[in-house]
Amino acid sequence: MAIFLYRAATAAAVVAALLASAPTLATAAAPTSVPIASLIKQVGIPHNSFTLANGLKVIVHEDRKAPIVAVNVWYNVGSKDEPAGKTGFAHLFEHLMFNGTQNAPGDYFTHLQDIGATDYNGTTNNDRTTYYETVPSGALERALFLESDRMGWLLGAVTQGVLDNQRSVVQNEKRQGDSRPGGLMQYTLFENLYPAGHPYSHSVIGSMADLDAASLTDVKQWFREKYAPNNAVLVIAGDVDPATVQPLVEKYFAAIPAGPVNRPALATIPTLSAPKAIALKDAVAMTVIQRFWAVPGLLDKDLAALDIGGAVLGGLASSRLDAAMVRDEQVAVAVSAGLSPLQRAGVFSVSAYVKPGTDPGKVGARLDQLVADFIAKGPSTDEVARAVMAVVSNQIRSLEGVGGGGGKGATLAEGAVYAGDSEFYRKTLATYAAIQPATVRSAMQRWLRRPPLTITLAPGERGAAYGEAKAVEPVKPADKKAATIPTRIAPPVSDVAALDFPDIQHARLSNGIAVNYVQRGALPLTQVALAFEAGSAADPLDRRGLASLTMDLLDEGTASLTSQQFAEAKERLGADLSTSNTQDRSLIYLSALTPNLAPSLDLLSDLTRNAALRPADIDRLNSQRLTAIDQSRKDPTKAGQRLLPVVLYGANHPYGGPPSGDATAIAAFARGDFASFRERWLRPDNVKIFIVSDRPWAELKPLIESRFGDWAAPTVAKGVKLFPPPAPRPTKPRILLVDRPGAPQSGIVGAQLLPIDAKGDIIPFNTANEVLGGTFLSRLNMDLRESKGWSYGVRGNANFNAHAVPYIISAPVQGDRTGEAIAALNQQVGDFLTTRGVDADELKRTVANNVKQLPGEFETSGAVLGAMLNIDLLGRPDNYYETLADRYRAQTIQSLDAAARAAIDPKAFVWIVTGDAAKVKPQLDKLGMSVEVVEAP
């Protein structure tokens, strides 16, 4: 929700490259892209628009690729509009507007699930508040009714109980963010970069004191002043006839009266009178040096130049700072630079994550030297072209979807709200395409030669206590109900079209590699996944982390390309090449612009078959991974996760390694370990290729065959994974407590292994669990978040790995409620499995939601690719997703209760709690379970 104004990367997430000490390689010909201008011509969102008499601006875009419609409502109100003493109001009201209206009482997620909505949420930032949902085409009228009721008939449902409850939820959201290492930096940044009273001088989430002080009168007046139709934009995109939309919008929105026009104060761009330095300490594994400048915002002529300058300096994988400080000199484990534009101003930041053991003073001086040199000389023509290609290719990918927070609907709404122009995206792209190096250099000199704000975050104890809210007693559900009389009736929902999952074609290359292919023609994109039967389960027991680090190393250069050259080649083509590692598979992904497919496939083949695995890269990535592990152990939200696998599976199980690997083993990894893993696991007789493309298979087949069809398996034996039979489940629950002194929140994780075959019929259990823990409306979340207000969110879900199915409850809660929260979770689970199973309303809602949302789940090629991978991993038939509607409809209360009770044992949970042991352990001791204080591995 809030905008974070620095790249919060850890060392594990950094794309690093080749050291200067590596041997000289033959120069490879740089791949060439089709002209950027030709790509931009393919970026378009044709639309109609009209304005109601009350000032509501409406935009309609027709897209018939799927029977779904996206509805976006953007309000021109954010934290910039909050006066002193009312910080956090915009975000608090975003929460309140999800808690029912006069004519649609109760939680809005209930109404959205009733109509099969997907991609639904609300967000608030400094400048705007948005609500969005994607619904089946037949539910458009219901969605318009709901959004209009939220705009015009809200206040009758906002009670003191609703306010108290959502205030607690927001404060727990704040605690959750603040408790993360570095979580307090945003307050220091806003307060020191912008002067007091400036619209951007405070954070989006606000202060605990202001949230505590918010009265029912305050928030109702805030709504009356800010959320009128003439302060909003409505975008409808998808399977619609524009001619029929206007009468529907008139029907539901025209009666809402106009309100005051929100005219925020002009936000000047302040300049510090002298450089300002602030030193902070926190539970971080490395020192972080960050420089900040206030710069122009979204509508300024310098926007594109500053954005491109930031990308070249420290945003691209090939950036100047990455090349010098991470690859060549190895003084930083990560770097970043870039523009975070707000509507009326913005922040430019430059950061260096200092390599442990390196002098931060020298790193800061080197950072300043590199920045000064770049400002003086500017970027090259090639650097600008690569940065512009990144912008264009990302925009093309974002337009595949109609809804969500960044699809076509959001793109049109953003331009209309921020610039008063729904074509703003197109004009901005044209500006990027025409940009020249001299323009970038000039803008950087104009804005970055001013005094910076420097914030240095170093390892150590926080100097000040967390901002704590007063304890809030549980809010009884009855207190949230408003005494209102409905004056509008919700319209019916038309029949939902059946899912037509695209046909999967199967083929084999000449060397036997299986290919699974789907054609989707919405955009000129081709997605490719190479799935190797490996994953972290292929790690030797004494080398945990080998599989994931091997996959990271593949992107560190090939026999013919240095890491720097490889990164540059990807950027020239707008190709997104990445690797990942799951429990069961090691994967290489390519997302290519189809006009650049052939050279992009060349890079994919080179990465897969010819990765260099150079010792210098290995040393650097090992160091980065160790730093990331150290950081995760300091993070209250992650420390317990490192403990979970070994507790669930045991140290000798293939799934029993901690996330990211074992630090002791990683410290000893050498080239032979990675080369051996690649030979045994990343080979043509252990891979399947999955493709989703706008081009037919007949065109793609020769391209794939020429790059992978002659790939021969090595002579060494292929790797084999051995899974022991599952250990008996515990007969008594227990608690493992990881001490994190001073943490205002406790991270609660409860887990057990389920006696479920992931390749069998999982629909009854999954459907039952949506009632218990799997959705926002689940009993676990509604109890701890919406009723008690102790948590920002609770989930309970099964992970369907190929050889084991763990059930994991995740519940971050305020520290003073830790013991009560575990008791409440146990109570909810116990009741669900005995006396209070699925009820008729829950069955109806859950089944309807699952059936109606199916057409919206596979709108994008990425979603189709993920479904193909899942079908293959779990041995499903090609038409598996088309069979789900009937299988959901066949479920009964009895089938769901039986599935849940056969799978979950309330006595088999192990609870891992990460929190302040001095405050938390006395609470846990009252629960009657064994409590052991442990350390994260």
Side-chain angles (χ1 to χ4, degrees):
M1 92 164 41
I3 290 181
F4 293 94
L5 298 175
Y6 56 92
R7 188 171 71 181
T10 62
V14 178
V15 179
L18 181 65
L19 296 170
S21 57
T24 301
L25 304 176
T27 301
T32 57
S33 167
V34 298
I36 289 178
S38 69
L39 292 174
I40 289 179
K41 290 180 180 178
Q42 301 182 50
V43 181
I45 318 173
H47 58 275
N48 301 322
S49 63
F50 57 91
T51 302
L52 301 187
N54 59 12
L56 178 66
K57 170 90 173 195
V58 185
I59 301 170
V60 185
H61 164 66
E62 182 177 0
D63 181 337
R64 300 286 188 173
K65 69 175 178 294
I68 55 174
V69 183
V71 177
N72 277 260
V73 181
W74 281 47
Y75 291 93
N76 176 32
V77 55
S79 63
K80 73 178 186 312
D81 304 298
E82 297 163 350
K86 292 181 170 56
T87 65
F89 266 47
H91 172 241
L92 175 61
F93 224 94
E94 174 214 314
H95 282 249
L96 294 174
M97 290 176 76
F98 269 109
N99 267 258
T101 61
Q102 180 172 322
N103 304 293
D107 200 293
Y108 247 50
F109 288 99
T110 302
H111 302 291
L112 293 172
Q113 286 196 13
D114 283 344
I115 60 178
T118 54
D119 284 334
Y120 52 85
N121 209 341
T123 67
T124 307
N125 70 13
N126 307 73
D127 298 302
R128 53 83 184 136
T129 300
T130 71
Y131 300 93
Y132 54 87
E133 59 270 346
T134 301
V135 300
S137 305
L140 171 61
E141 188 170 358
R142 177 74 65 84
L144 294 177
F145 165 82
L146 291 171
E147 287 297 352
S148 64
D149 223 58
R150 180 147 54 186
M151 182 183 291
W153 287 266
L154 178 80
L155 292 185
V158 178
T159 65
Q160 187 65 48
V162 169
L163 172 59
D164 290 343
N165 174 264
Q166 290 307 304
R167 185 200 334 262
S168 295
V169 171
V170 168
Q171 289 177 329
N172 276 304
E173 180 182 358
K174 178 177 168 65
R175 291 188 187 98
Q176 188 169 317
D178 291 357
S179 65
R180 296 188 178 108
L184 301 181
M185 278 192 60
Q186 61 171 321
Y187 308 118
T188 303
L189 167 60
F190 284 117
E191 292 167 3
N192 287 276
L193 192 63
Y194 295 106
H198 191 282
Y200 297 139
S201 63
H202 64 272
S203 68
V204 174
I205 204 159
S207 75
M208 286 292 193
D210 287 355
L211 291 170
D212 275 336
S215 70
L216 190 60
T217 300
D218 289 336
V219 297
K220 287 191 174 185
Q221 186 60 30
W222 173 264
F223 177 81
R224 294 186 186 101
E225 293 175 355
K226 304 298 183 185
Y227 296 86
N230 51 319
N231 200 41
V233 171
L234 168 66
V235 179
I236 301 166
D239 181 29
V240 293
D241 177 4
T244 65
V245 169
Q246 185 162 352
L248 288 176
V249 174
E250 292 273 3
K251 177 179 178 181
Y252 291 106
F253 288 88
I256 304 172
V261 177
N262 185 35
R263 300 188 188 280
L266 292 177
T268 58
I269 304 168
T271 296
L272 298 177
S273 59
K276 186 174 185 179
I278 299 173
L280 302 175
K281 291 186 177 182
D282 208 340
V284 291
M286 74 212 88
T287 297
V288 185
I289 303 168
Q290 301 195 44
R291 316 272 197 244
F292 298 99
W293 295 264
V295 295
L298 279 167
L299 307 182
D300 193 89
K301 62 181 179 60
D302 282 339
L303 167 75
L306 288 170
D307 193 21
I308 294 302
V312 174
L313 179 60
L316 297 175
S318 65
S319 77
R320 296 280 187 94
L321 296 180
D322 278 287
M325 301 183 73
V326 179
R327 300 184 183 98
D328 295 348
E329 299 162 19
Q330 295 190 71
V331 296
V333 294
V335 292
S336 69
L339 173 67
S340 296
L342 305 175
Q343 184 179 12
R344 291 164 174 78
V347 176
F348 194 98
S349 62
V350 178
S351 306
Y353 297 75
V354 179
K355 182 178 179 180
T358 306
D359 182 357
K362 293 181 179 179
V363 175
R366 181 60 172 145
L367 178 67
D368 291 340
Q369 182 183 40
L370 291 167
V371 172
D373 181 71
F374 180 69
I375 292 172
K377 300 176 182 177
S380 69
T381 300
D382 182 57
E383 286 174 322
V384 170
R386 287 188 278 112
V388 170
M389 175 60 82
V391 172
V392 173
S393 60
N394 288 336
Q395 180 75 81
I396 290 174
R397 290 185 178 93
S398 74
L399 297 184
E400 188 174 11
V402 293
K408 292 181 179 180
T411 300
L412 294 171
E414 182 179 50
V417 169
Y418 289 159
D421 182 3
S422 55
E423 291 282 333
F424 182 65
Y425 75 96
R426 188 191 293 274
K427 296 171 183 176
T428 301
L429 283 178
T431 301
Y432 276 95
I435 204 163
Q436 298 297 318
T439 310
V440 175
R441 183 177 67 248
S442 176
M444 299 288 280
Q445 291 176 353
R446 183 178 303 115
W447 295 106
L448 268 62
R449 282 180 169 169
R450 296 147 64 234
L453 168 67
T454 296
I455 302 177
T456 302
L457 182 66
E461 295 289 331
R462 284 185 173 179
Y466 291 90
E468 279 292 271
K470 62 187 179 184
V472 179
E473 291 301 314
V475 178
K476 296 179 181 180
D479 292 340
K480 297 173 66 175
K481 294 180 180 178
T484 60
I485 300 174
T487 58
R488 311 166 83 213
I489 303 300
V493 175
S494 303
D495 291 339
V496 175
L499 171 65
D500 181 15
F501 192 83
D503 294 337
I504 303 175
Q505 298 182 45
H506 301 280
R508 285 192 180 272
L509 304 183
S510 56
N511 59 355
I513 294 178
V515 179
N516 302 273
Y517 165 81
V518 159
Q519 184 170 2
R520 289 291 292 265
L523 283 175
L525 289 175
T526 297
Q527 312 264 16
V528 182
L530 274 60
F532 296 90
E533 176 55 37
S536 60
D539 281 340
L541 296 181
D542 61 347
R543 291 175 177 82
R544 300 286 195 179
L546 182 60
S548 62
L549 262 172
T550 301
M551 299 310 293
D552 288 347
L553 274 166
L554 295 186
D555 203 27
E556 292 298 313
T558 68
S560 61
L561 293 172
T562 68
S563 178
Q564 182 75 16
Q565 290 171 334
F566 194 81
E568 292 174 1
K570 291 189 296 183
E571 291 160 1
R572 289 188 190 98
L573 298 171
D576 185 356
L577 257 168
S578 62
T579 62
S580 69
N581 209 62
T582 68
Q583 295 275 45
D584 298 303
R585 281 175 162 169
S586 298
L587 299 120
I588 304 174
Y589 292 100
L590 167 66
S591 175
L593 304 175
T594 301
N596 289 336
L597 180 58
S600 298
L601 287 172
D602 288 338
L603 294 179
L604 174 65
S605 175
D606 202 19
L607 176 151
T608 305
R609 301 177 61 173
N610 305 311
L613 305 181
R614 296 183 180 89
D617 297 319
I618 292 169
D619 291 344
R620 177 166 40 79
L621 261 67
N622 285 359
S623 176
Q624 291 177 335
R625 178 63 65 87
L626 292 173
T627 304
I629 290 173
D630 190 21
Q631 183 61 61
S632 70
R633 295 179 71 251
K634 299 176 185 297
D635 189 332
T637 64
K638 296 179 181 177
Q641 297 172 5
R642 288 191 58 76
L643 191 60
L644 182 61
V646 69
V647 171
L648 266 184
Y649 301 105
N652 294 322
H653 192 281
Y655 291 160
S660 302
D662 176 77
T664 302
I666 290 170
F669 284 168
R671 190 183 191 281
D673 296 299
F674 299 107
S676 175
F677 184 90
R678 182 175 63 174
E679 282 193 315
R680 295 186 66 217
W681 298 98
L682 308 182
R683 44 195 284 162
D685 55 350
N686 198 42
V687 69
K688 294 179 181 177
I689 300 177
F690 299 82
I691 305 172
V692 181
S693 176
D694 65 310
R695 306 311 303 153
W697 173 239
E699 288 186 24
L700 295 185
K701 181 178 179 179
L703 298 176
I704 303 298
E705 174 68 33
S706 64
R707 289 156 179 85
F708 294 101
D710 63 346
W711 187 15
T715 56
V716 300
K718 184 169 66 172
V720 177
K721 292 180 280 191
L722 300 176
F723 286 86
R729 289 205 284 184
T731 57
K732 293 182 179 179
R734 60 181 175 134
I735 298 173
L736 303 178
L737 174 58
V738 181
D739 187 17
R740 287 296 175 266
Q745 271 206 330
S746 293
I748 299 174
V749 176
Q752 64 176 272
L753 293 178
L754 302 182
I756 290 179
D757 179 5
K759 298 181 180 180
D761 184 9
I762 62 174
I763 296 303
F765 175 81
N766 258 357
T767 308
N769 182 58
E770 289 184 38
V771 176
L772 175 62
T775 69
F776 184 92
L777 295 174
S778 71
R779 293 188 187 178
L780 298 183
N781 188 64
M782 295 300 285
D783 183 29
L784 262 65
R785 172 179 163 136
E786 295 298 297
S787 178
K788 294 180 169 67
W790 296 346
S791 175
Y792 178 51
V794 180
R795 287 293 185 272
N797 282 306
N799 294 337
F800 293 96
N801 303 317
H803 299 278
V805 179
Y807 185 78
I808 301 171
I809 296 173
S810 176
V813 300
Q814 60 191 69
D816 62 344
R817 301 293 187 180
T818 306
E820 293 173 280
I822 291 180
L825 292 169
N826 276 317
Q827 181 74 44
Q828 288 289 343
V829 172
D831 288 351
F832 184 71
L833 298 176
T834 53
T835 60
R836 202 164 66 88
V838 177
D839 66 33
D841 288 340
E842 290 169 331
L843 173 68
K844 180 181 178 182
R845 182 186 70 233
T846 304
V847 169
N849 178 53
N850 280 307
V851 170
K852 292 175 182 177
Q853 70 180 196
L854 280 171
E857 289 187 335
F858 306 105
E859 179 194 7
T860 66
S861 56
V864 172
L865 185 68
M868 294 166 66
L869 287 164
N870 192 57
I871 284 171
D872 181 76
L873 177 67
L874 300 181
R876 310 296 192 197
D878 286 358
N879 70 337
Y880 174 72
Y881 291 101
E882 293 179 337
T883 70
L884 291 184
D886 287 341
R887 297 170 72 183
Y888 285 125
R889 293 187 185 103
Q891 300 307 314
T892 64
I893 289 175
Q894 292 74 25
S895 69
L896 301 189
D897 284 347
R901 292 167 185 176
I904 300 175
D905 181 354
K907 297 179 180 179
F909 279 104
V910 56
W911 296 95
I912 301 174
V913 179
T914 306
D916 188 335
K919 297 178 180 178
V920 169
K921 191 172 185 300
Q923 302 175 48
L924 302 180
D925 288 337
K926 299 177 183 178
L927 298 176
M929 299 184 220
S930 167
V931 181
E932 179 184 358
V933 179
V934 298
E935 189 53 74

